[in-house]
Amino acid sequence: MRMHQALRPITAVSIPTLRDALRKDRADLERRYLQHGRVTRLLAAHSHLIDQYLRRVWNALGLPDTIALVAVGGYGRGELSPKSDIDLLILLSQDADEVLQVKLSELVAQLWDIGLEVGHSIRTIAECLNESNDITVQTNLLEARLITGDPSLFEEMQQAISAQLDPRAFFLAKLREQQQRHARYADYDFNLEPNLKESPGGLRDLQTISWISRAAGLGNSWKDLASAGLISMSEARQIARHDSLLKTLRARLHYLAKRREDRLMFDFQTQLAEQMGIVASSHRRASEHLMQRYYQTRRAVRQFNTILLQNLHDHLFRESPPQHALNERFRVIGNLLDIRDEHLFEHTPHAIFELFLLLQQHPELTDLTAKTLRAVWRARDRIDAKFRRDSVNRKLFMSTFRQPQGLLHGLRRMNQYGILGRYIPAFGHIVGQMQHDLFHVYTVDEHILMVVRNLRRFAVEDFAHEHPMCSKLINEFARPEVLYVAGLFHDIAKGRGGDHSQLGKKDARIFCKQHELSRDDTDLVVWLVEQHLNLSSTAQKQDISDPDVIANFATKIKNDRYLVALYLLTVADVRGTSPKVWNAWKAKLMEDLFLRTRRYLRDGQAADQLSEIRQEAATTLNLYALAAPSYQLFWAQLEDSYFLDHEAQEIAWHTRLLAYKVNTDKPIVKARLSRVGEGLQVMVYCNDQHALFARICDFFARMNYTIVEAKIHTTQHGYALNSFQIMQVAESDTAYRDIMAYIEFELAQEIALEKPLTILVSGRVSRQLKHFPIGNKVNLVSDNKGFFVLSFVAGDRPGLLARIARLFDQYQVRLHRAKVNTLGSRAEDVFWVSGAIFATPAQSAALLNDLLIKV
């Protein structure tokens, strides 16, 4: 560390000198840290370095020796991260006079001038005592450390704070603070960009234990807690390793971001992995290995946090809650489940699953005692091949799936304690595994448990309003445990390379046979794992108004039980990817496919679907006093494909609007609230014109609306009759009636004026897409109905659909229908097209190439 010459008053000249020296010293710290990699050494050295500069400025200003400069917070602990604020307390023996106030103001100003990012407070001891009623202030003062100034004044403050501190009240306040923080960061628990400090299982959870330990007089290190008997020395070493990893990630993150940044953002994950020597494997990025290590640490920290909070509570309160025996192995203490023998799992391993079963059967039990938690945590290593082969263990595990309540909490606990991954090794491989597919926002294990949660939620009466059909179906479904097993295995083979559905079905079959599921139930579980993507893909990427699509999909379905199971699993799966992926439009598509397939399986192909739709539309129109003669001219202009593409209520809506305006010379644009319960339906009717679809797409993109489905028809007399289902990208305070009025007027004006088209330039892509990009993919096949089906996959960005439409226009491609599927930052669009360019592969190659490189 650079040594400075004898102190001299700080002048306008020496402030830049000090600023440069500080910058160089910090850079030297960073360089040496990147060489040795020891984070504890870095944080202590950084704290020591800042101490020196603070003393230099303090002494140069000639501040009185009756006051003290005190480090608090993380700086007070001697653990100052590279870009963290420097928290200071200027401790006074009495209120500052005017001269001292000026000097203190000059002190703070000069500290900032030389590059120290200080947060400060100026207080007397009395004011410190008064302010310490606030738990944050009290915590900061608990970690106070004298930098310079009057040591007796500092000691007096410490004694006063210690005398006022009530360890029990402090414990309860910190526990409440942690609970509130966990609730605030619940959405980030398994988020792909977690907060290293504040997220559950982060540094703050470890610091909370340290603070309570200090307040209770038990020391300030993990070794001290072991000496006090709250944990073993082995556990203390484990906690220290996890603590070190979190601090390492945070320190390196600060250096990479060049600012205080506690979120493990996509921007830095790859660089962090490289710095830490983590390399990519054949099927996974280096960043994914890094994040899996983080999530494993996060899980362990949460476990130790829970254990130590219980032990600290017992130490501080020494209560004797009521207890009674449940059986010869377990008892209840208060509202906690406890093992009667701390060596229970060693001599009776099947008691591990009995514990989780008892928690399900006794919902009044809220958790496990610390002794039991520690025993379960240690027992995970006893789950080996012999344990997995034991028929008692297998029956107990399956019993948890057949209980009327508590399955999800049981599986979450098993995962938290490391039991689930040991019992099902394939599950252990995906614990903490990230998914950089641009639409899953959870790790694989958390996504799987979210799917099981959704399936269980369907069966709960209180949530029946969320998915009435799913709730009805699952409550009529015999042996629903097969659905939960399928949910547990549907993504279990992620990250191995190859088709995870095919690999996962092998794991599922082995599990079902080992756990003695019937042959029928085994076949269903295996089929569900293999086919779990099929219903979603068909609904969102194929034309489900086409009877042949329904017939082809139905050939894969064995019977109604299989169809119901696949539908329930699909809805639970899509809802479990991300809160932003699921919407009412996807719900309707999947429900429509389910109902049409169910009808097909029951009745076979409808004899005359066209006549049926026309009759249903006519019946609806009669309710509006529109008799057939009034709309015969309009219907005469429509081809059969129009009636097959639209629902009867859509046809009736269009007819009411256009029956008397068949040959209008002005564009007609009408909007209404979508019948699916979310978004808008927009109808456009006008003389067909050049680049019409591109113009409409660009209009909606500028409005920040996304098109999820487009039905494009040209009438026999040359009019475009287009129907759009649109969804708002971001929430808006604008009333729907105002939005609809805007669309109806402005879009009609743009179509009528036919101004030169200016497509929205490519907008800002998401950070995830920026750092984990996906290349454009395009595929073209014939649907044997005179159309070609063009599939396009790319990273989603503003104006994407409009640019595709512009290319179609340039190549004189006629668009008949489009399904636009946005999955987070991933766009998967399907277009039904025709045109001379598709006459030969050579002719269509230019279009496909432009879609790959220009869109």
Side-chain angles (χ1 to χ4, degrees), residues 661-668 684-693 695-696 713-715 717-722 751-752 754:
K661 300 178 182 179
V662 177
N663 296 306
T664 180
D665 59 352
K666 294 182 179 179
I668 297 175
V684 176
Y685 182 73
C686 64
N687 273 301
D688 206 0
Q689 64 176 239
H690 173 71
L692 176 63
F693 182 63
R695 191 180 305 280
I696 295 170
H713 289 275
T714 304
T715 66
H717 68 314
Y719 275 68
L721 175 51
N722 301 341
I751 294 170
E754 292 190 67

Side-chain angles (χ1 to χ4, degrees), residues 239-424:
I239 298 173
R241 285 196 297 271
H242 295 307
D243 189 21
S244 178
L245 176 62
L246 292 174
K247 289 174 180 173
T248 296
L249 289 171
R250 188 176 186 226
R252 290 182 181 274
L253 187 58
H254 280 198
Y255 281 136
L256 285 172
K258 302 186 187 307
R259 64 178 185 272
R260 178 182 175 177
E261 179 57 76
D262 293 333
R263 292 172 300 160
L264 268 173
M265 299 169 69
F266 298 128
D267 311 51
F268 308 114
Q269 290 175 10
T270 299
Q271 293 170 276
L272 271 172
E274 291 173 355
Q275 279 194 7
M276 297 177 69
I278 300 171
V279 297
S281 58
S282 56
H283 305 300
R284 294 171 62 191
R285 296 179 173 92
S287 60
E288 292 174 334
H289 288 290
L290 167 74
M291 295 304 294
Q292 187 164 33
R293 187 183 299 182
Y294 160 77
Y295 285 113
Q296 289 167 349
T297 281
R298 182 208 64 81
R299 183 179 67 178
V301 168
R302 291 198 69 175
Q303 178 77 354
F304 284 121
N305 174 268
T306 303
I307 290 170
L308 281 165
L309 282 176
Q310 284 198 28
N311 282 338
L312 286 165
H313 178 276
D314 293 345
H315 173 83
L316 288 169
F317 291 87
R318 303 192 181 279
E319 297 172 343
S320 298
Q323 55 181 275
H324 65 272
L326 274 182
N327 56 35
E328 64 272 18
R329 291 172 296 281
F330 295 93
R331 63 182 175 181
V332 175
I333 299 179
N335 56 359
L336 304 177
L337 183 62
D338 186 56
I339 49 176
R340 303 179 73 171
D341 175 3
E342 64 179 291
H343 302 293
L344 172 65
F345 302 131
E346 298 172 23
H347 57 72
T348 312
H350 70 255
I352 295 172
F353 284 147
E354 183 185 7
L355 174 148
F356 294 104
L357 194 58
L358 287 171
L359 286 171
Q360 286 181 271
Q361 294 170 345
H362 296 272
E364 71 277 8
L365 299 176
T366 59
D367 212 330
L368 307 177
T369 62
K371 179 179 73 176
T372 308
L373 278 169
R374 293 172 70 186
V376 171
W377 185 249
R378 293 193 301 268
R380 69 190 189 281
D381 294 330
R382 294 190 167 274
I383 300 178
D384 52 16
K386 180 181 178 182
F387 181 97
R388 298 183 198 103
R389 289 193 301 267
D390 192 303
S391 61
V392 174
N393 293 330
R394 290 175 175 178
K395 289 176 181 176
L396 283 168
F397 185 71
M398 277 310 302
S399 292
T400 64
F401 283 78
R402 297 185 174 111
Q403 298 302 306
Q405 59 189 1
L407 172 62
L408 177 65
H409 291 307
L411 291 176
R412 285 199 188 281
R413 283 189 173 106
M414 290 183 202
N415 191 32
Q416 172 67 28
Y417 306 152
I419 301 297
L420 190 57
R422 295 285 297 187
Y423 186 66
I424 305 177

Side-chain angles (χ1 to χ4, degrees), residues 689-745:
Q689 64 176 239
H690 173 71
L692 176 63
F693 182 63
R695 191 180 305 280
I696 295 170
C697 291
D698 185 55
F699 176 83
F700 287 132
R702 284 185 277 114
M703 282 190 66
N704 208 24
Y705 268 77
T706 183
I707 298 172
V708 295
E709 184 173 61
K711 298 174 184 177
I712 312 299
H713 289 275
T714 304
T715 66
Q716 295 188 26
H717 68 314
Y719 275 68
L721 175 51
N722 301 341
S723 182
F724 300 89
Q725 174 77 30
I726 63 173
M727 309 284 281
Q728 203 166 14
V729 174
E731 290 186 10
S732 169
D733 294 331
T734 307
Y736 265 123
R737 63 177 178 273
D738 296 330
I739 294 172
M740 291 188 290
Y742 177 85
I743 291 171
E744 290 175 353
F745 179 79

Side-chain angles (χ1 to χ4, degrees), residues 498-518:
D499 186 339
H500 75 279
S501 301
Q502 294 296 325
L503 295 171
K505 78 173 188 178
K506 297 177 183 177
D507 294 334
R509 185 175 294 282
I510 292 170
F511 175 89
C512 291
K513 287 184 176 180
Q514 290 175 341
H515 291 77
E516 299 181 353
L517 271 71
S518 69

